[in-house]
Amino acid sequence: MSNLTNKRIVLGVCGSIAAYKSADLVRRLKEMGAEVRVVMTQSAGEFITALTLQTLSHNPVHQYLLDCDSESNMSHIELARWADIVLIAPCSANFMSKLAQGMADDLLSTVCLATRAPIVYVPAMNNVMWENKATRENVITLQKRGFVRFGPASGDQACGETGLGRMLEPVQISNQLIELFQPGLLQDKNIMITAGPTQEDIDPVRFISNRSSGKMGFAIAQAAREAGANVTLVCGPVKLTTPQGVNRLDVRTADEMKSVVMENINTTDIFISAAAVADYRPETVATKKIKKAASKLDLKLIRNPDILSLVTNEPVPPFTVGFAAETDNVRENALAKLNSKSLDMIAANEVGKEQGGFDSNENALSIYWQNGEQQLPMANKNTIARQLMTIITEKFREKSSANNALI
Ligand code: C5P
């Protein structure tokens, strides 16, 4: 395999027991054709030797910032300019904190500050450290600044605990890196994504809504942007930061979402409907707050427009992907929806379980299209979104070339 041919990767290795996996990662990146230069922090040296990483990368390992020999060999600025990407694996809680602070007190943090290349960090830490408020805030800061995160995974940890914080396996890291280097596949394509819940007014202060957080739709918007597309994100009320470079259009009700979607549908190549659109809305909206006078209140609801079906009923519909949140019979219900709504693809997940679903940062999806399906096992929503975009891109390109062949 040589999907990383000639890619120049600065691999930052921090102090973590997961550093032993960095050796295998270097080997894999080399096998895929990448050129690798390793930068170790001082504490990384407590876990793995420079000689191991030097032997596997076929390049000198960089360790010191203020060192005449190192600077004359390849200065920190040259290293920062050399990189097509900076990959930090494992990235410790301490190093995440340094990145968030913009510190430059060792070689790796200085390279990160001095580079224009994208920076990917792959966290590895104890699950309590991962869940700590300080780490959570660092994750948000890094996301806002455009850092890309791979993982972490959940499972048994070297400290004897179980939970989120395990570093991804080298094979998962190299696969995600390949996906990241694939932009261009959707260059100049227009993708519209709906996300979040809708709110359906009962009176001036009350509404009907649902538990959708919008996280999955936002992660898809980011993944679509990374793949080079022009992305429009039509979202209901959510508390999320807009991914960089994404055009966000805020709506509140299903009716508003329908209007914005239909206004933009003619220029859309791919439509991904990740929003949890309310199926019903109150028939009338009271102009004044309803008083709690009566012991019983009947609320008459009427059907909202099915936006997804309106899109697929267009004379020339875009490549259309729907979502199905199901509590049972996931496969059957998803396939029924794929057909009844004339979709190109449907992404189904089981909701109402402990892990994954609405407000979670993780999700697992089952993807179905005509004559095919693929399972995406439980992972961070950003990871799932990139995997989903890879499948969508492949199927969209297949359909486009089949259509072109017919012309
Ligand atoms: O039929 P069901 O609501 O389960 O279908 C879910 C899919 O349809 C999702 O992709 C959702 O975004 C979309 N949908 C819609 N408009 C509605 C209801 C659902 O676009 N009114």
Side-chain angles (χ1 to χ4, degrees):
M1 250 221 279
S2 57
N3 312 34
L4 294 174
T5 307
N6 298 332
K7 292 286 182 276
R8 298 194 293 201
I9 301 172
V10 165
L11 175 65
V13 181
C14 301
S16 156
I17 182 62
Y20 78 93
K21 294 185 187 175
S22 305
D24 188 29
L25 180 60
V26 172
R27 193 183 55 77
R28 261 171 209 287
L29 297 176
K30 291 287 293 175
E31 269 173 17
M32 290 175 164
E35 239 193 284
V36 183
R37 285 188 171 266
V38 177
V39 177
M40 286 172 74
T41 65
Q42 195 185 345
S43 42
E46 305 292 333
F47 292 91
I48 188 164
T49 71
L51 187 61
T52 305
L53 298 170
Q54 182 158 302
T55 309
L56 292 167
S57 67
H58 303 162
N59 272 319
V61 166
H62 306 262
Q63 288 176 282
Y64 309 107
L65 177 62
L66 304 173
D67 179 271
C68 291
D69 285 347
S70 317
E71 283 292 293
S72 63
N73 170 18
M74 192 181 213
S75 77
H76 62 280
I77 297 295
E78 282 171 300
L79 204 51
R81 284 187 189 143
W82 175 87
D84 288 324
I85 203 157
V86 177
L87 172 67
I88 308 162
C91 185
S92 62
N94 179 53
F95 199 77
M96 279 177 63
S97 181
K98 280 194 187 195
L99 285 177
Q101 295 294 321
M103 285 176 73
D105 65 345
D106 65 4
L107 181 60
L108 184 56
S109 55
T110 309
V111 168
C112 288
L113 212 56
T115 192
R116 289 187 202 281
I119 301 177
V120 178
Y121 69 103
V122 192
M125 68 198 70
N126 160 274
N127 65 315
V128 183
M129 290 168 83
W130 174 249
E131 276 152 23
N132 188 291
K133 222 169 166 188
T135 311
R136 305 261 46 79
E137 282 175 13
N138 288 336
V139 168
I140 294 166
T141 305
L142 295 176
Q143 187 179 346
K144 277 190 198 150
R145 296 205 195 127
F147 288 72
V148 179
R149 172 165 55 85
F150 291 171
S154 190
D156 292 340
Q157 303 196 304
C159 52
E161 295 193 28
T162 303
L164 263 180
R166 269 171 71 103
M167 185 169 96
L168 294 186
E169 294 305 320
V171 63
Q172 293 172 302
I173 299 171
S174 54
N175 283 346
Q176 288 194 36
L177 209 57
I178 290 168
E179 283 167 27
L180 205 68
F181 273 121
Q182 274 184 338
L185 287 181
L186 291 175
Q187 207 83 48
D188 299 327
K189 295 294 173 220
N190 296 327
I191 301 193
M192 181 157 48
I193 297 156
T194 65
T198 63
Q199 292 178 351
E200 310 299 327
D201 289 339
I202 299 171
D203 68 16
V205 293
R206 304 181 180 98
F207 54 77
I208 300 172
S209 193
N210 59 62
R211 289 177 51 207
S212 167
S213 64
K215 286 177 186 168
M216 195 64 231
F218 273 58
I220 296 169
Q222 180 167 340
R225 185 72 198 121
E226 284 167 9
N230 306 318
V231 183
T232 301
L233 179 61
V234 185
C235 60
V238 292
K239 293 194 182 91
L240 295 172
T241 313
T242 315
Q244 247 181 3
V246 166
N247 173 29
R248 169 171 169 173
L249 304 171
D250 286 292
V251 297
R252 221 165 61 74
T253 65
D255 226 32
E256 285 171 22
M257 186 172 273
K258 180 199 84 178
S259 302
V260 173
V261 166
M262 297 318 280
E263 269 165 31
N264 292 283
I265 204 68
N266 285 339
T267 51
T268 297
D269 298 295
I270 300 176
F271 177 66
I272 305 172
S273 185
V277 187
D279 291 320
Y280 294 91
R281 67 171 184 275
E283 186 175 36
T284 50
V285 181
T287 50
K288 294 204 167 115
K289 186 181 170 194
I290 300 170
K291 300 278 179 220
K292 57 165 185 277
S295 62
K296 200 173 153 194
L297 178 72
D298 287 326
L299 210 54
K300 193 158 182 195
L301 303 177
I302 54 167
R303 278 290 290 272
N304 264 330
D306 190 310
I307 305 169
L308 192 51
S309 299
L310 289 175
V311 168
T312 54
N313 278 324
E314 281 288 284
V316 187
F319 185 92
T320 307
V321 183
F323 267 73
E326 304 290 342
T327 50
D328 53 305
N329 294 337
V330 178
R331 188 170 195 278
E332 242 177 289
N333 291 331
L335 287 174
K337 239 165 252 182
L338 178 76
N339 291 319
S340 67
K341 297 199 185 198
S342 307
L343 306 175
D344 292 292
M345 191 181 283
I346 191 153
N349 61 337
E350 200 169 338
V351 288
K353 294 196 308 182
E354 250 174 48
Q355 217 184 356
F358 281 133
D359 199 30
S360 168
N361 290 322
E362 293 201 308
N363 208 3
L365 288 178
S366 305
I367 321 287
Y368 303 95
W369 58 93
Q370 294 299 344
N371 311 320
E373 60 184 79
Q374 192 172 328
Q375 305 295 322
L376 302 181
M378 187 68 68
N380 173 287
K381 280 184 175 168
N382 287 327
T383 306
I384 292 283
R386 285 197 194 100
Q387 292 169 342
L388 175 63
M389 271 322 296
T390 305
I391 304 172
I392 292 175
T393 305
E394 193 185 310
K395 298 292 158 204
F396 166 72
R397 284 159 68 94
E398 270 175 30
K399 189 177 177 187
S400 305
S401 44
N403 285 347
N404 287 341
L406 287 176
I407 295 168

